Amino acid sequence: MKSPVARIGACAQSASGNPGQPRISAPPAGKLQSGLQRSVDAARRDLALRFCQAGLDTPDLDARLLVGHALTLDHAALVAAAERTLTAAEAQTIAALAARRLAGEPVARITGRKEFWSLDLRLDAETLVPRPESETVVEAAIAALGPGKAKSLRVADLGTGSGALLLAILSELPGAHGTGTDTSLAALECARANAAALGLADRASFVLCDYGAALAGGFDLVVSNPPYVRRGEIASLMPEVRLYDPLRALDGGSDGLDGCRAIAADAFRLISPGGILVVELGAGQLAAARSLFTAAGLTVLSLRSDLSGVPRALVLRRRCMAWS
């Protein structure tokens, strides 16, 4: 375990942004705001150092995103404004955002935005923060469609939240049209706004219902990231998840598979013959989920693990003939 002195040294080197630059010293306790009343770049570096010392996983990224958010500057504009002196009001805004982050609030909740599949998505209190492991679902879906993916396809995203999965897939498939469902009207409004901002509103529609209950079926591709946390394990989740993500998007029932059961029960009706289903799974759920879907008449095509090696995206196909 690093000593406090070693941690400060490592944090200072990280916050400098360049190993060849002089290391910066840790600001004295309680001096964050006065330290921020300097240049934009000094504010970013001071914030990164403070976050590193607090043990945050991505201090440099968090600092850049929060300073950019406070000043309404994207990454390129933030670099261009590096030497500009902050106003007192700007320094106060940055200090307030920093305090929220140091109290444990996720950056995506503070800014109300999150990048997913290189798409800038708006979030609200009713939407799950899309995470990198969910990009595995997008990768698996596109790979499973194969060379025919350029044709016109019908895509459904069950429990769409911010629209992350649906909009990522539509961005890759110019000929596709999609429908996202959710039980939260606020989440659907958020997804609809994201579709419009990304220029995908003419190919994306949104329906208020539980999974596919209100859909007529005939989809070539169905994707879903259902709630899959076991109810008894929710209290042990990281505070950034447990305290800020909507409970309905986490709680998968006693074994974490309630969402998979609902999708499996309706899968044969929703998916066209030969169509594809890709479902995101939680750790340790592969065997049980596979049994649920094969019992519903689907054939397992492949499995894709996330970058941590966790089996994450289960890919299935509906048989072309009615199953009995």
Side-chain angles (χ1 to χ4, degrees):
M1 180 177 180
K2 288 184 179 178
S3 69
V5 174
R7 170 172 280 278
I8 290 173
C11 289
Q13 184 173 11
S14 173
S16 73
N18 185 334
Q21 295 294 322
R23 294 182 180 185
I24 57 178
S25 301
K31 297 295 185 180
L32 179 62
Q33 183 172 324
S34 61
L36 290 175
Q37 292 176 345
R38 296 188 293 166
S39 72
V40 170
D41 190 57
R44 179 196 60 77
R45 290 186 288 112
D46 283 351
L47 211 58
L49 178 60
R50 186 72 175 268
F51 290 166
C52 184
Q53 291 173 333
L56 300 185
D57 289 338
T58 55
D60 295 308
L61 177 61
D62 290 3
R64 175 170 63 80
L65 292 175
L66 290 182
V67 173
H69 178 68
L71 303 179
T72 64
L73 299 175
D74 62 19
H75 180 54
L78 197 62
V79 172
E83 300 307 316
R84 178 172 72 76
T85 301
L86 291 171
T87 66
E90 289 171 337
Q92 290 171 356
T93 298
I94 293 171
L97 298 182
R100 290 171 64 182
R101 182 69 189 106
L102 289 167
E105 188 172 354
V107 170
R109 292 299 178 194
I110 297 172
T111 64
R113 311 200 73 83
K114 178 69 174 180
E115 183 178 292
F116 180 85
W117 201 258
S118 298
L119 305 177
D120 180 30
L121 299 178
R122 193 188 101 189
L123 306 176
D124 66 18
E126 286 294 305
T127 60
L128 190 74
V129 174
R131 294 177 170 83
E133 53 264 34
S134 294
E135 293 189 349
T136 309
V137 175
V138 180
E139 295 168 353
I142 292 171
L145 291 173
K149 66 183 181 182
K151 68 176 184 179
S152 179
L153 295 173
R154 294 190 64 210
V155 181
D157 178 10
L158 310 182
T160 195
S162 63
L165 294 180
L166 178 65
L167 299 177
I169 290 169
L170 293 183
S171 74
E172 295 290 336
L173 305 175
H177 289 72
T179 301
T181 70
D182 208 289
T183 57
S184 167
L185 183 59
L188 292 176
E189 291 297 332
C190 181
R192 187 175 288 112
N194 282 328
L198 295 169
L200 297 170
D202 61 334
R203 295 196 285 126
S205 60
F206 299 94
V207 176
L208 183 69
C209 71
D210 192 22
Y211 295 105
L215 302 183
F219 291 95
D220 303 293
L221 171 65
V222 174
V223 296
S224 184
N225 175 17
Y228 54 67
V229 180
R230 294 173 181 85
R231 186 167 297 149
E233 296 177 355
I234 290 175
S236 64
L237 293 174
M238 293 175 58
E240 290 190 2
V241 176
R242 184 182 74 249
L243 300 178
Y244 295 97
D245 277 333
L247 179 61
R248 67 179 186 85
L250 299 174
D251 188 349
S254 60
D255 63 356
L257 293 169
D258 282 0
C260 284
R261 289 189 185 90
I263 295 167
D266 220 12
F268 219 79
R269 181 184 68 81
L270 290 175
I271 305 169
S272 61
I276 301 293
L277 169 66
V278 186
V279 181
E280 181 169 335
L281 305 177
Q285 295 179 343
L286 175 59
R290 181 192 285 121
S291 295
L292 282 172
F293 288 111
T294 55
L298 304 181
T299 301
V300 174
L301 287 184
S302 63
L303 175 71
R304 189 172 290 241
S305 297
D306 62 23
L307 293 177
S308 299
V310 175
R312 189 63 67 183
L314 181 61
V315 183
L316 307 112
R317 186 188 299 278
R318 184 195 143 170
R319 297 167 186 162
C320 292
M321 299 299 291
W323 179 84
S324 60

